[in-house]
Amino acid sequence: MRSGAPPVRKGPSRRTDSPHRSHRRPLPSRTGLAPSRPINEATATARDEVPTAQPGSDRPAGKLQEALANAHTAIRRGARIRHIYQHPARYSGSIRDYLSQVPAQHLRVRTTELTVERLVIIDRSVAYTPASADRSTALRISHPALVSYLIQVYEVLWAQAVPLAENHQATAPNAPASPAPAPARTNPRRKPPGIAPPPRRGAGEWREGTAAEPLDAAVSRNPGNPRPGHTQRGRESV
């Protein structure tokens, strides 16, 4: 080093093993691949449970074949499968054919009248949702707080859904709407319910006396204090 050169000061080195870095959680990541590929890879590692929610009343045959392969892979690893469909899916032959090929002891299916978005949760540790309106890309979520929230949302949907084994009157897809019932015909002379006619009173019945005492009885009971406008019957005979 030259004697006239100024000393070079080194700044503080950046430690890559900072304790703050170890506490950071992964944020949601958007995959550029088709959504089926990362979901298939994640399902292949499932060991506990794979809850899913599927929108619409039907699914393409190719997608159902992939779902069937995923279900068999997860079941071989000891996982259970739960599906939530919308009510019109009860009339889908392709969905029923798919469900018939999954062992019933590892599968639970319910339907709901609510409009649901696609959701796949793997072992309560990672979740997948669509990242675009056309569902061409998937959003991988691994943050524990976000995954926990999605699990709570799913459990609420599950509790409100109807088991597929139970009979439920659902509207088939593309079914014509039923006509509205005709309004009931009413009689204009008929009085509306809840209004009773005033009671009819006979001659000699009370007008100002007690609640159930005829006027003649009230006068005879107290002849010295006739009611205003009336005289005692004894004086009428004088």
Side-chain angles (χ1 to χ4, degrees), residues 85-102:
Y85 295 104
Q86 293 181 258
H87 284 329
R90 291 173 173 263
Y91 299 94
S92 172
S94 57
I95 290 181
R96 286 191 169 273
D97 182 65
Y98 154 74
L99 297 177
S100 64
Q101 300 181 58
V102 181

Side-chain angles (χ1 to χ4, degrees), residues 143-218:
H143 194 285
L146 296 178
V147 175
S148 177
Y149 172 76
L150 292 175
I151 292 174
Q152 293 179 13
V153 172
Y154 187 90
E155 294 299 343
V156 171
L157 292 174
W158 181 264
Q160 296 177 350
V162 181
L164 185 65
E166 295 183 6
N167 294 328
H168 180 77
Q169 297 296 330
T171 303
N174 302 324
S178 57
R185 299 181 62 182
T186 58
N187 187 357
R189 297 183 178 180
R190 185 177 181 180
K191 296 182 179 180
I195 301 178
R200 300 180 61 182
R201 309 187 186 282
E205 201 168 334
W206 64 272
R207 289 185 303 218
E208 301 175 337
T210 58
E213 187 178 19
L215 181 60
D216 295 343

Side-chain angles (χ1 to χ4, degrees), residues 19-87:
H20 299 287
R21 292 180 176 269
S22 61
H23 294 286
R24 291 182 179 179
R25 298 294 185 179
L27 296 176
S29 60
R30 179 173 177 175
T31 63
L33 305 174
S36 59
R37 181 175 175 180
I39 294 177
N40 293 346
E41 294 174 353
T43 305
T45 63
R47 294 179 178 273
D48 182 21
E49 187 180 35
V50 183
T52 73
Q54 304 292 344
S57 59
D58 203 355
R59 298 187 66 192
K63 297 295 183 181
L64 287 176
Q65 289 299 324
E66 292 181 0
L68 182 61
N70 295 340
H72 286 165
T73 301
I75 289 173
R76 284 195 298 269
R77 299 176 65 89
R80 301 180 304 275
I81 309 296
R82 280 197 291 169
H83 292 320
I84 296 179
Y85 295 104
Q86 293 181 258
H87 284 329

